[in-house]
Amino acid sequence: MSMTKQIKVGNIRIGGGAPISIQSMTKTDTRDVRATVRQIKELEKAGCEIVRVAIKDFEAASAIKAIKRKANLPLVADIHFDYRLALRAIENGADKIRLNPGNIYKEPEIREVVIAAKKRKIPIRVGANSGSIRLKAQGSRLKAEDLVTPVLGYIKILERMDFYDIIVSLKASDVISTIEVCKLFSKKSEYPLHLGVTAAGPASTGIVKSAIGIGNLLLDGVGDTIRVSLTGDPVEEVIAAKNILQAINLRNFGPEIISCPTCGRCQVDLKSIAEQIDSRLKASPGFVRDRQGSRGKFSLQPSVFSRKVFKIAIMGCEVNGPGEAKEADIGIACGKGSGVIFKKGRILKRVKEKDIVKELLKNI
Ligand code: SF4
């Protein structure tokens, strides 16, 4: 059992026990520097740590220089079909290059990219997707080996040039294949894995697929950095990624609200109370600090998984309310037009419904 190798992308460490980092990808035309920088800043504010930009032509590759002058996040150049775009992106300061073995596979071309990456001391992500492999398999069902074997072959080309600054992603658009492929790869290689379910769809389904796929792998000790792929605002990808990591206690981005779904027993406007607490906490910078956990492959440490998250219970009635409120750091169990506040397991006071938000915030 060993940890993955540690790779640096800009100032972010990936693998080797580093905290699981969050990535996203801009959806702007990279040649539009102003729009791309604006989106990168939004992503950074949301908690993104590494951002990828699409390089579809030389103008986009050259735009990296201007983008890097104005944006702080490490920048990954996403390259397909033409290896020369990678060379231009590297010249212009890309912090990592993503190559797709499905469309850049000629050894002399890969070699040129490796030489340039080595010179600039930046890593290469070997990013394989089921889509490109499936094309070659003429529609037959994807097996884990179909993706893992060519990627291992690709890595060999890089290693033959003494290049080991490698990150790997193996993505399928279905959850089960993604899990199978990543688990197989992690048994065969020590290179860090970038996890994600590709083309997961719009938020309603994409977050569910990503949470199951990424969460399953991380709980098994597989994966070092994640990207949730959604058809929509990339900020949603970052929020979903943070929620996945916090749900399995790998990182702590702030207090956790435990609130009941409400039912016919509830006699207060619990939805409004929970939403007000949630939005007030998110707006409070003191609570949006991240206590990062770290762990390496096959080494889920109990201390990391039991790390303390501040819990706030907001419960609708006496059925589950007092139990959850007592368990939390602070909680309220509501009744008819009022609620009982619990702090560290003890009853603090009874308050009227109109004062619940104010009193909870004061005590939080
Ligand atoms: S805690 Fe009470 S109000 Fe909330 S869902 Fe359970 S029974 Fe319904």
Side-chain angles (χ1 to χ4, degrees):
M1 301 292 181
S2 59
M3 281 204 187
T4 50
K5 185 176 160 56
Q6 190 163 92
I7 304 291
K8 267 188 99 180
V9 181
N11 57 352
I12 301 291
R13 291 173 299 126
I14 296 179
I20 307 295
S21 49
I22 294 174
Q23 309 206 19
S24 186
M25 186 166 181
T26 53
K27 303 191 177 182
T28 53
D29 184 333
T30 307
R31 295 169 299 187
D32 184 342
V33 171
R34 185 184 290 201
T36 304
V37 168
R38 194 184 315 126
Q39 193 160 70
I40 292 173
K41 285 182 185 291
E42 285 167 10
L43 288 167
E44 184 182 9
K45 196 170 162 208
C48 181
E49 291 155 319
I50 298 171
V51 69
R52 184 160 43 121
V53 296
I55 304 297
K56 61 182 175 187
D57 59 21
F58 288 103
E59 195 183 335
S62 299
I64 287 179
K65 186 177 258 175
I67 294 168
K68 275 197 61 100
R69 270 202 295 265
K70 294 178 183 157
N72 298 320
L73 293 180
L75 221 62
V76 183
D78 194 54
I79 309 292
H80 298 270
F81 306 110
D82 187 346
Y83 78 101
R84 294 170 307 161
L85 296 174
L87 301 181
R88 178 70 67 87
I90 293 170
E91 265 169 46
N92 282 281
D95 295 295
K96 181 170 92 175
I97 295 294
R98 180 270 172 110
L99 295 181
N100 182 347
N103 55 41
I104 295 181
Y105 44 79
K106 292 180 185 154
E107 199 162 328
E109 296 182 353
I110 300 169
R111 283 177 155 271
E112 283 207 45
V113 179
V114 170
I115 291 166
K118 229 176 165 179
K119 207 164 144 196
R120 292 291 298 260
K121 297 190 170 56
I122 62 165
I124 292 176
R125 163 152 74 100
V126 178
N129 279 2
S130 57
S132 30
I133 302 294
R134 267 196 188 123
L135 282 175
K136 289 177 191 159
Q138 294 182 327
S140 60
R141 189 191 173 275
L142 179 86
K143 295 194 286 294
E145 295 79 13
D146 295 338
L147 213 47
V148 172
T149 305
V151 165
L152 289 171
Y154 205 87
I155 289 172
K156 282 269 177 290
I157 299 173
L158 273 56
E159 288 179 335
R160 279 203 294 274
M161 295 184 68
D162 286 329
F163 188 85
Y164 306 97
D165 227 1
I166 301 166
I167 297 166
V168 173
S169 65
L170 304 118
K171 298 185 183 182
S173 55
D174 81 275
V175 174
I176 306 293
S177 299
T178 302
I179 292 171
E180 286 174 357
V181 162
C182 290
K183 284 188 177 169
L184 180 63
F185 180 83
S186 77
K187 282 185 194 147
K188 292 175 179 262
S189 174
E190 296 302 316
Y191 288 112
L193 261 176
H194 162 127
L195 301 183
V197 177
T198 195
S204 58
T205 49
I207 291 174
V208 175
K209 286 187 197 175
S210 302
I212 296 171
I214 293 171
N216 178 297
L217 286 162
L218 290 175
L219 284 169
D220 257 357
V222 175
D224 303 277
T225 180
I226 67 172
R227 188 232 171 157
V228 173
S229 303
L230 300 176
T231 311
D233 186 344
V235 167
E236 282 191 273
E237 299 184 355
V238 175
I239 293 167
K242 284 165 77 177
N243 287 337
I244 291 170
L245 295 177
Q246 177 141 342
I248 52 177
N249 286 356
L250 278 176
R251 290 184 65 178
N252 177 3
F253 296 98
E256 185 177 326
I257 293 182
I258 295 152
S259 59
C260 79
T262 80
C263 68
R265 290 179 190 274
C266 187
Q267 296 184 80
V268 295
D269 185 355
L270 199 81
K271 180 171 177 281
S272 162
I273 293 169
E275 283 172 356
Q276 285 183 68
I277 297 287
D278 187 39
S279 63
R280 290 288 294 275
L281 291 178
K282 280 184 180 141
S284 165
F287 272 103
V288 195
R289 65 175 182 270
D290 172 24
R291 284 185 289 154
Q292 297 183 338
S294 66
R295 61 116 187 83
K297 190 162 79 166
F298 308 124
S299 61
L300 302 185
Q301 299 149 7
S303 59
V304 170
F305 275 79
S306 61
R307 210 177 49 257
K308 188 98 176 98
V309 173
F310 188 89
K311 291 190 174 164
I312 303 161
I314 302 170
M315 302 295 292
C317 81
E318 69 280 11
V319 173
N320 295 317
E324 292 289 352
K326 263 187 210 164
E327 285 290 308
D329 293 279
I330 186 145
I332 186 145
C334 296
K336 190 175 179 186
S338 67
V340 175
I341 293 183
F342 291 75
K343 195 170 179 176
K344 300 280 178 204
R346 297 204 163 155
I347 292 179
L348 187 69
K349 58 157 81 168
R350 177 177 287 279
V351 291
K352 290 190 178 142
E353 181 176 358
K354 70 177 177 49
D355 297 322
I356 289 175
V357 171
K358 186 178 72 187
E359 283 294 332
L360 277 177
L361 287 170
K362 195 168 90 188
N363 282 287
I364 288 166

